[in-house]
Amino acid sequence: MVVILLGPPGVGKGTQGALLSKESNLRHLSTGDLLREARRDGTSLGREAQRYMDAGELVPDRLMVDLVRDFLKRLAGDRGIAFDGFPRTVAQAEALARALGDVGRRVDAVLVLEAPDAVLVKRISGRRVSPGGRVYHVSNDPPRVDGVCDATGEPLINRDDDQPDTVRRRMEVYRQQTEPLIRFYEDSDARVIRVDGDRPVSDIQSAMRAALEEIGALDGVEPRGGHP
Ligand code: AP5
């Protein structure tokens, strides 16, 4: 099964992708996380991506498509995928369809998470992350000890692209370049399911699971448990 989590910055794609991965055998693939990892490792991809990410712009399609193709090649054949943050342009969606087609797969479902802009801004301004990418929120999902990652004990930081000006630009880029994908997938064979993302995390998680079960997308998918 191939699922895409689509939605604006801060709507909860990463949070829900990690949960979905824990309760199924779907592999959660966040291209934002892959890019941040490449930046931390100082790879040429990381260096090239940095200026786009810091400006709130999209990293060029050619880099993103190569990155995802590489990932798909390494993925065990029987494992499903929950894409988070990919595709983000029609060109990426077309490239994904070709790459999946090459291995006999296709996009089964697109979960569109939605929430008002004011909610997104509040979530992003309160987001704190560990250097390894574990996500918290100062009031909605605080760590046990203020400012410290529960898992690693490292100090929590703000994401570089969570500054207000950059967030505004990321939201514009979403509306201009990524939102049209909803129409793109409505015109395809994939099931497009809109999910109200302005609710507690567990309610969204249950709604997503119910929607995927209803269309049979989780048939035969066993929970994995453990960390994604
Ligand atoms: P990426 O990392 O994908 O950022 P994004 O899409 O802007 O999404 P976010 O990570 O900001 O938010 P989210 O929806 O995952 O929310 P989260 O769960 O963290 O991309 C970053 C950059 O990389 C892009 O701008 C671009 O430059 C580049 N990039 C990545 N992919 C690319 C691609 N395919 N093509 C080109 N460029 C690409 O939640 C947010 C906060 O809210 C957290 O603090 C969380 O704890 C809290 N929260 C979550 N859910 C709830 C809830 N229900 N109630 C209350 N609080 C909640």
Side-chain angles (χ1 to χ4, degrees):
M1 191 206 10
V2 176
V3 174
I4 291 173
L5 301 174
L6 197 64
V11 77
K13 302 180 296 296
T15 302
Q16 294 300 332
L19 291 169
L20 190 58
S21 165
K22 260 188 194 166
E23 63 173 17
S24 71
N25 80 346
L26 293 177
R27 174 72 188 263
H28 173 213
L29 177 70
S30 156
T31 44
D33 285 350
L34 287 184
L35 291 171
R36 281 183 286 277
E37 199 179 305
R39 284 174 64 162
R40 279 197 302 277
D41 294 346
T43 65
S44 59
L45 167 68
R47 286 194 299 276
E48 192 166 353
Q50 178 156 2
R51 64 195 166 105
Y52 297 100
M53 297 173 80
D54 288 349
E57 302 293 338
L58 295 185
V59 174
D61 288 338
R62 65 183 161 78
L63 295 175
M64 299 312 302
V65 168
D66 285 352
L67 184 70
V68 169
R69 271 189 175 278
D70 271 2
F71 172 86
L72 287 175
K73 269 190 222 147
R74 284 183 277 116
L75 187 73
D78 58 346
R79 190 95 189 260
I81 312 167
F83 284 103
D84 154 9
F86 186 91
R88 261 171 147 105
T89 63
V90 170
Q92 289 181 17
E94 289 170 345
L96 177 63
R98 285 193 295 276
L100 289 172
D102 288 348
V103 290
R105 294 188 180 202
R106 65 186 178 96
V107 173
D108 297 288
V110 180
L111 295 166
V112 183
L113 287 164
E114 300 172 311
D117 285 1
V119 170
L120 305 178
V121 167
K122 251 190 173 166
R123 287 189 186 167
I124 291 178
S125 62
R127 173 164 50 195
R128 300 291 180 270
V129 296
S130 72
R134 210 180 158 101
V135 178
Y136 298 86
H137 189 279
V138 287
S139 48
N140 301 337
D141 182 19
R144 283 193 294 271
V145 178
D146 192 29
V148 176
C149 178
D150 293 344
T152 64
E154 294 168 293
L156 299 180
I157 51 175
N158 287 350
R159 242 169 69 173
D160 290 341
D161 59 349
D162 277 354
Q163 304 307 319
D165 284 353
T166 317
V167 171
R168 266 192 292 280
R169 180 61 193 147
R170 283 164 56 203
M171 288 168 97
E172 281 171 9
V173 167
Y174 174 77
R175 303 283 173 224
Q176 291 162 1
Q177 301 191 50
T178 305
E179 210 169 42
L181 286 180
I182 299 173
R183 185 63 196 270
F184 174 93
Y185 282 114
E186 279 171 349
D187 291 342
S188 78
D189 293 336
R191 292 292 295 267
V192 176
I193 302 156
R194 290 178 186 262
V195 179
D196 176 5
D198 185 12
R199 309 184 261 181
V201 168
S202 56
D203 290 6
I204 302 169
Q205 184 188 4
S206 307
M208 281 176 39
R209 181 155 188 108
L212 290 174
E213 276 171 356
E214 196 180 316
I215 62 166
L218 291 184
D219 287 353
V221 172
E222 294 301 325
R224 279 188 329 112
H227 200 269

